[in-house]
Amino acid sequence: QVQLVESGGELVQPGGSLRLSCAASGRTFVTMGWFRQAPGKEREFVGRIYQGSGFTYYAASVRGRFTISRDNAKNTVYLQMNSLKPEDTAVYYCAAADRLGNMRIDDYDYWGQGTQVTVSS
């Protein structure tokens, strides 16, 4: 049974950093992605990594501030978030795909339950 479990979300001050983790159980995937959803808004793409090559791609709103990495031995993907802004406040979701995926929600087959990130002073 496939399970994605996110962790690491919490309250942080503007300008601070957080690292989110997504542990996948069951098997490995071709693409792992991160999305977020703020209150009253649609879920949006944050970034993704190809598990084999390590190639990453980010939304323009987070490029240069967020970094995705992986530990294939632990079957875990990380989202390092630096220089956080209040507009980064959202529930962050991990997603997995059995093929090369990118920015679309439909690219992904499996989703975690989400972890809350709040950026506020």
Side-chain angles (χ1 to χ4, degrees):
Q1 182 178 356
V2 172
Q3 197 171 14
L4 303 177
V5 179
E6 303 99 331
S7 61
E10 62 182 62
L11 172 65
V12 62
Q13 291 189 342
S17 297
L18 273 180
R19 189 178 80 157
L20 306 183
S21 299
C22 173
S25 62
R27 54 187 176 86
T28 57
F29 299 93
V30 175
T31 306
M32 297 293 291
W34 286 96
F35 288 74
R36 66 186 182 185
Q37 188 167 16
K41 295 189 176 181
E42 294 187 351
R43 192 170 299 189
E44 66 174 5
F45 172 78
V46 173
R48 61 97 178 117
I49 187 167
Y50 293 149
Q51 293 282 71
S53 65
F55 288 165
T56 56
Y57 181 77
Y58 302 95
S61 59
V62 306
R63 199 170 295 146
R65 299 188 298 123
F66 290 11
T67 303
I68 298 174
S69 61
R70 77 211 194 279
D71 184 335
N72 287 345
K74 295 181 179 180
N75 212 14
T76 298
V77 172
Y78 304 97
L79 178 65
Q80 177 67 43
M81 305 185 293
N82 298 328
S83 302
L84 282 162
K85 306 174 182 179
E87 50 264 43
D88 294 318
T89 296
V91 177
Y92 283 72
Y93 296 90
C94 173
D98 292 320
R99 57 197 175 281
L100 293 177
N102 204 22
M103 300 173 60
R104 299 185 312 154
I105 290 175
D106 289 348
D107 287 345
Y108 298 85
D109 307 299
Y110 306 97
W111 293 82
Q113 82 289 349
T115 185
Q116 176 70 49
V117 172
T118 303
V119 184
S120 175
S121 54

